[in-house]
Amino acid sequence: RRRLDAQLIAGDGAGQNIRGLLNTTGIGAPAFVAGDDALMATQRAITATWLAEGQPTFVAVNPSVMQAIRFIKDTTGRYVYGSPATPDPNPRIWGLPAIVTTAMPTTNVLVGDSTQATLLVREGLTVRLSDSDADDFTSNRVTVLVETRAAFPVWRPGAFAKGALA
């Protein structure tokens, strides 16, 4: 599942890889503005999605980026995203649910309309074991084959945007 998550976000589309959202032609990519933090980059990506007539439904961020967001304080020294004494199990950024995943690079945030892409699964996860591959039997080894068959069409690339963090 982690590999599939990584493919959906950043897959390069080469060989057996799925082309992920970050590598899909036509998604919004507002330019980085010097002095922007992760919140500003996220809002720029939200605006790019709106301008393409998308309705953003999520923000995907790397755990390190989410940490930087949680560390932001106002002028009085209070944390903008809530007290550390009351952690939020369902974080939101600009009102959108935040998906915190290591599949996101630390150089971008991803904003999108989840109704504009679909994960199509032709064959669920299958696991096969065999001791008949090459010399596995005589070497007392077992080969494990794990696979799934899936496709990821992005119906409206403009409904997604990546905000640059550097």
Side-chain angles (χ1 to χ4, degrees):
R1 289 175 77 187
R2 283 188 204 127
R3 178 164 164 86
L4 184 57
D5 286 348
Q7 291 285 313
L8 297 177
I9 291 173
D12 61 8
Q16 296 178 346
N17 293 329
I18 292 173
R19 181 171 312 282
L21 291 168
L22 293 176
N23 294 313
T24 298
T25 303
I27 71 165
F32 173 74
V33 176
D36 273 6
D37 61 17
L39 291 176
M40 293 176 196
T42 301
Q43 183 57 55
R44 291 183 195 287
I46 290 170
T47 301
T49 304
W50 283 334
L51 291 172
E53 297 184 5
Q55 293 298 316
T57 59
F58 72 90
V59 177
V61 296
N62 182 280
S64 297
V65 174
M66 190 66 198
Q67 173 181 283
I69 290 170
R70 287 189 183 264
F71 284 170
I72 295 172
K73 294 181 180 180
D74 65 15
T75 56
T76 63
R78 290 181 296 206
Y79 290 101
V80 173
Y81 273 84
S83 167
T86 55
D88 184 1
N90 302 307
R92 298 179 81 74
I93 300 173
W94 295 113
L96 299 174
I99 300 167
V100 182
T101 174
T102 56
M104 272 301 296
T106 57
T107 55
N108 293 101
V109 295
L110 176 67
V111 173
D113 180 345
S114 60
T115 66
Q116 298 305 313
T118 306
L119 176 62
L120 303 173
V121 178
R122 180 174 179 186
E123 180 182 326
L125 191 65
T126 59
V127 180
R128 296 183 184 130
L129 304 171
S130 173
D131 65 354
S132 302
D133 183 44
D135 64 344
D136 281 359
F137 181 77
T138 57
S139 300
N140 200 24
R141 291 186 300 213
V142 175
T143 299
V144 179
L145 174 65
V146 180
E147 64 184 351
T148 188
R149 297 187 67 181
F152 187 57
V154 177
W155 309 115
R156 287 190 53 231
F160 299 89
K162 58 183 173 184
L165 299 177

